[in-house]
Structure formats: structure tokens, C-alpha cells
Amino acid sequence: MEKKKATVPLVCHGHSRPVVDLFYSPVTPDGFFLISASKDASPMLRNGETGDWIGTFEGHKGAVWSCCLDANALRAATASADFSTKVWDALTGDELHSFEHKHIVRACAFSEDTHLLLTGGAEKILRIYDLNRPDAPPKEVDKSPGSVRSVAWLHSDQTILSSCTDMGGVRLWDVRTGKIVQTLDTKSPMTSAEVSQDGRYITTADGSTVKFWDANHYGLVKSYDMPCTVESASLEPKFGNKFVAGGEDLWVHVFDFHTGNEIACNKGHHGPVHCVRFSPGGESYASGSEDGTIRIWQTGPLTPGELEGLSPNGSLEREKANAEEDVSRRIEGFHITDEKSKGKEEAGDEL
């Protein structure tokens, strides 16, 4: 077999426990950003291109299982084992809202229009909070058949997706009626779900399989067996011609979307890989691991076909320039805390 060139990643330290979720913002006028969730109860915001630490959101008392940024990267949300979901000002690090639940919260997601926040967890209830009326009781969607593992929005916030920790299948719910409209069958519980940037595909990881579903008609488009049990997968957003997957073998694999052939295998983590995500421009992807580190890997040089898809001015270069511009404003505004002085509670480290 042809020897694959080793990729040297940017290694982001800072978390003291496993990193269990990653989320990239879209490209904003200030660049793009990466937020990470960890069992150390301290979600962190970083420059999405360089991996440089911007700030830590302080306030959770238990493992943080899920994190996200809104479309403008102005607010962050985190779901925790301390029975709460918190919404934060992503410019200052201040806590804006804390929504109390009755059990561990495993997942959260901002709606596309940024006005709503979806949560789910061990209560088996999907809740939708109106961020314009944070004191109002949330809308509760029909009871989930199992403990909620992941959630996402589709179809301009008309549909929500959920999976369960203890059973297979991906459920799609009509937001207006609160009822399940479709279930996508998976043999094992789905550990990762991602809606592609163009809204065409749902990428799922279950057991040792990565599947791609038509996000509009819900048919299975591709299904590939992986070399190990995988926890997470992400589709390249710009051209959709490759995807990354990570799991139990400690490696981050890159595959061809059309054939399923492995393109690259990145080694460096010292524990299972819990989450992988492509950056919004597709020029890099990040992985989070049991070893407490985040690694940002460069995608590599563009193929001739990809180069043809770019405008003469090079849209990737423009996005890169955006990412370098004015990120310092974030750092100046964020409340920097002395990490050594933090006496964190290790409560809520349950699954």
C-alpha cells in the first residue's frame, strides 16, 4: 500500500479531563471559532484557525457533554451533568441564562435563526427554549423513547433530529406538531449526528459504521464500515468529497466520500477519539480525545478538481484572511481566569 504522509497537527492543551464535544462556528466578520466541551466542567472557546485559547466559560458544577455557538458566534450554549444548560455571552464569557433540568443534559443546539435553544438528556424530553423570552416555560416535544444523546435542527428550524444513548435509530420530529415524522434505522445507538452545511446530508456514526442520509427525503445515500468502533464523523463542507471519523483506535481517519477508501490516517492522540468536526471552510478539522487534548489537522493541498471550484480570487484565502482579522477583540473582552486557582467539582461524571 502507498505510504501516507504523516500530518502534524496543532495541539491544544487546557482541558484536564476528556474532551467529549466540539463545535465550529460559521465564518463571521471576526473569523471563525471552536468551542469544546469536557468532563472537566470548563468549556473553552478558541480561535478556529490557530487553536489559540480565547477564554473559559466558568460556572458548571459537573461534566459538560455538549456545546455549540450561534450563527454569529455571539452566544455559546453548554449542556451539563449538573442538570443545567447554560447560555453564555461569547464575547465576554458572562453567563446569560441557566435553564435547570431534572436530570443530566447531554445535548443542546441553537436554531438556525438563533432565537431558540433545543436541549435533551436523561429525562427523555426534548425542550425548546425561546431565548427572546427566557423566563417563559419551554415547549416540550413528545417524549423521546430513550435518553437523548444528540440533537440538531433541520429544514429552517421546522424539523429536529435526536438520537438515544440506549437504542438505535435517528428520530426526526416535526416542530409544529411535536411528533416523530421519520425514523432512520441504525443497528447500534447513534453517537454522532451532523447536518451538512448545505443542508443536503445527515452524517451519522453508529457502532463501526458511518452513514450519509438524504436530509430531505431521508433515504440512505452511503454506508461505510469503519476499521473500528467510531464515535464521531464529519463531512467536508465545501466540496463534500471526503469525511473524517474517529473512535476507539485513537486515530483520526480521512475517507473518500464517493468510494469509502481511506485517504489518510492521523496518529497522535493517546486515548480514544470522542469527537471530530470539519472547520467551516474545510481547510482543517479538529479532534477531541479521552487524553484531554484537541488536535487541529490541516486537510492538505487541494486537488485539481477542488481548485477548479474556487473563484479566481480564491474564496478559501478570503476566509483565511477573515479568520486572522480582529480576533484579538474577542480575547480583550473575555474575562480571563487563573486556571490554577479553580477548585472545580468533579460532580456528574456519569454517562
Side-chain angles (χ1 to χ4, degrees):
M1 193 172 82
E2 180 191 348
K3 192 170 178 6
K4 297 181 174 73
K5 188 179 175 186
T7 303
V8 179
L10 296 167
V11 183
C12 308
H13 298 281
H15 286 297
S16 59
R17 301 290 309 283
V19 177
V20 292
D21 194 26
L22 294 169
F23 186 96
Y24 275 105
S25 77
V27 177
T28 76
D30 292 331
F32 62 96
F33 301 89
L34 175 65
I35 187 172
S36 54
S38 168
K39 290 184 182 179
D40 67 7
S42 298
M44 293 184 182
L45 185 70
R46 298 177 185 274
N47 177 321
E49 185 185 17
T50 65
D52 290 342
W53 177 79
I54 292 173
T56 300
F57 299 101
E58 294 288 351
H60 278 299
K61 299 287 194 293
V64 176
W65 286 109
S66 177
C67 58
C68 57
L69 293 160
D70 69 11
N72 305 308
L74 296 177
R75 288 176 300 182
T78 50
S80 173
D82 66 8
F83 296 14
S84 77
T85 297
K86 294 183 185 292
V87 179
W88 313 82
D89 185 319
L91 293 173
T92 65
D94 292 329
E95 182 182 307
L96 300 176
H97 313 293
S98 184
F99 300 119
E100 300 306 314
H101 293 61
K102 291 176 181 161
H103 213 311
I104 295 165
V105 193
R106 282 298 299 261
C108 61
F110 282 108
S111 60
E112 194 178 315
D113 67 11
T114 75
H115 298 314
L116 305 172
L117 183 70
L118 171 63
T119 70
E123 280 185 88
K124 306 182 182 179
I125 298 170
L126 294 165
R127 291 186 173 91
I128 300 172
Y129 292 88
D130 185 342
L131 297 177
N132 295 322
R133 298 187 306 133
D135 295 330
K139 176 180 178 178
E140 293 189 358
V141 178
D142 206 16
K143 200 170 174 68
S144 168
S147 180
V148 177
R149 169 71 183 255
S150 59
V151 296
W153 295 86
L154 295 88
H155 308 147
S156 302
D157 304 331
Q158 294 177 42
T159 309
I160 55 180
L161 171 158
S162 73
S163 73
C164 299
T165 56
D166 43 7
M167 64 180 69
V170 182
R171 285 151 200 90
L172 295 137
W173 309 72
D174 185 311
V175 173
R176 287 164 297 181
T177 64
K179 301 295 181 186
I180 295 173
V181 292
Q182 186 80 23
T183 299
L184 311 180
D185 290 326
T186 63
K187 286 182 182 175
S188 305
M190 190 192 74
T191 50
S192 165
E194 177 188 76
V195 180
S196 64
Q197 212 171 77
D198 59 8
R200 287 179 62 195
Y201 298 113
I202 300 166
T203 305
T204 64
D206 70 283
S208 58
T209 309
V210 172
K211 295 182 175 70
F212 299 92
W213 310 82
D214 185 312
N216 296 303
H217 304 291
Y218 306 132
L220 181 62
V221 179
K222 304 271 187 189
S223 179
Y224 295 121
D225 291 329
M226 297 287 103
C228 70
T229 299
V230 291
E231 275 201 56
S232 184
S234 181
L235 180 63
E236 194 279 330
K238 208 147 196 84
F239 306 101
N241 57 359
K242 57 176 79 88
F243 67 95
V244 292
E248 284 186 354
D249 67 359
L250 285 56
W251 300 344
V252 181
H253 301 269
V254 187
F255 298 93
D256 184 292
F257 170 77
H258 301 289
T259 65
N261 294 333
E262 186 173 288
I263 301 168
C265 178
N266 300 315
K267 303 176 182 180
H269 281 299
H270 302 292
V273 177
H274 294 309
C275 44
V276 291
R277 283 293 176 260
F278 262 105
S279 66
E283 67 275 7
S284 61
Y285 47 94
S287 56
S289 167
E290 182 75 16
D291 65 17
T293 68
I294 300 162
R295 290 168 194 259
I296 298 177
W297 313 81
Q298 296 306 306
T299 303
L302 297 177
T303 65
E306 290 171 340
L307 285 168
E308 284 173 20
L310 289 177
S311 65
N313 296 329
S315 59
L316 288 182
E317 284 305 310
R318 283 205 303 278
E319 287 180 3
K320 186 175 178 183
N322 281 341
E324 291 170 352
E325 189 180 322
D326 293 335
V327 176
S328 59
R329 273 186 276 169
R330 295 265 170 162
I331 301 171
E332 287 165 10
F334 217 99
H335 300 322
I336 306 298
T337 58
D338 179 359
E339 300 211 8
K340 289 180 183 173
S341 66
K342 293 186 295 198
K344 292 194 228 38
E345 296 182 44
E346 295 293 348
D349 195 15
E350 310 97 318
L351 285 172

